[in-house]
Amino acid sequence: MTVSPIAALDIDPEPPASPPPVPRRARQYPSAARLVGWAILVIALVATIFPFYWMVKSALTPAGDVIADSGSLWPTNPTLINFQRVLGLLSPDEIRAAGGSGASINFALYIWNSIIYCTLIGFFQTLFCAMGGYAFARLRFRGREALFSILIAALMVPGIFTLLPNFVLVRDLGLLNSMWGMVAPSLLMTPFALFFLRQFFLNIPKDVEEAAMIDGAGKIRIFWRVVLPMAQGPLITIGLITVVWAWKDFLWPLLIGRDESVRTITVALGVYLQQSPNTQPDWTGLMAASTLSVIPVALLLLFLGRRIVESLNFTGIK
């Protein structure tokens, strides 16, 4: 039997060295500036969401309890009857029994008119601004910079200044009480959309377009086949912003679309408020109709709102 030298000398082997203790990280507390920033953000968020919450709360409140529940954050007797009478699911007698004013609103027609109004403006304005933005970004022509400066200067002109000239023009064209008369002033372009898309087109590498030109593509084909597919995010962003702006537009549809067949939902809500024969307006019915009118735009922002944040990284807007 062979005995190891260590065992023969009766010397215990040296134990392995233990790793050095890991120093504890000092607990980091948020700075005062960060806390103030979060506080401001929370206050701004609450101030933005609370009116929508109050609108839904009032829509769920019975008409007889709207004054008594004004200091409560939740209706004591929540009900859906306000939505039912706005959608025309109740008879006039049932509407009056529920505390309504007896006024009616053709909700489906007005929502459909608003969808057509916003779709026409969003589609054509986005298309024409994309054409103009690409022309200012890539084409070379005399007076380009001066013309672009004039268009950008239009951002400083309040819309109320162009209201009367546009009304006279639409009236002389015989387009009053028509959908085309309502969309005519906003159909071509807006300075902001033109500037937004031009900034994106400037950031597209010219090598992509030069490669398409080598393959025999012209400017028009490059725009439709190369540039527009690459600009999908910014185009959706401009279309979304335009649709939201058109959805809440009130004054111009009120002036042009007085006929019920082309009346939008925003104008219809104003007419509904004035139809109350009582001294007090039908607030619960108005809040129910307003809640329903917000749903299409809310769904649009929910599914496409992220495109706005993504496209801002490509346009030079910070």
Side-chain angles (χ1 to χ4, degrees), residues 142-292:
R142 182 178 298 178
R144 185 188 66 167
E145 300 300 331
L147 180 59
F148 182 73
S149 300
I150 294 174
L151 290 174
I152 295 302
L155 286 170
M156 298 181 291
V157 178
I160 194 66
F161 288 174
T162 60
L163 186 66
L164 183 58
N166 286 334
F167 176 81
V168 174
L169 178 61
V170 171
R171 184 199 61 186
D172 292 344
L173 292 175
L175 296 178
L176 291 177
N177 294 319
S178 66
M179 188 60 67
W180 287 111
M182 293 168 59
V183 303
S186 306
L187 204 63
L188 295 179
M189 56 146 285
T190 58
F192 170 75
L194 186 68
F195 171 76
F196 185 91
L197 293 175
R198 173 184 176 271
Q199 292 300 110
F200 174 80
F201 293 143
L202 286 175
N203 291 328
I204 294 180
K206 292 185 178 180
D207 298 341
V208 178
E209 301 176 52
E210 292 174 355
M213 293 179 64
I214 293 176
D215 292 338
K219 288 291 185 181
I220 298 178
R221 187 175 180 182
I222 290 175
F223 174 75
W224 289 104
R225 297 295 183 88
V226 179
V227 175
L228 283 188
M230 296 177 64
Q232 182 179 2
L235 290 176
I236 293 177
T237 299
I238 287 298
L240 182 59
I241 294 175
T242 305
V243 166
V244 172
W245 168 83
W247 187 271
K248 64 183 181 62
D249 193 14
F250 174 77
L251 183 56
W252 180 254
L254 177 64
L255 293 175
I256 303 301
R258 298 181 181 180
D259 191 78
E260 187 176 358
S261 60
V262 295
R263 185 177 295 168
T264 60
I265 187 62
T266 53
V267 178
L269 292 177
V271 174
Y272 179 81
L273 181 62
Q274 298 174 359
Q275 285 179 346
S276 176
N278 305 321
T279 56
Q280 180 179 352
D282 183 10
W283 293 116
T284 55
L286 182 64
M287 292 300 103
S290 300
T291 301
L292 293 175

Side-chain angles (χ1 to χ4, degrees), residues 61-85:
T61 303
D65 299 339
V66 65
I67 303 300
D69 289 353
S70 59
S72 175
L73 292 178
W74 186 255
T76 55
N77 300 308
T79 179
L80 296 177
I81 194 170
N82 297 320
F83 295 96
Q84 294 174 354
R85 59 191 181 91

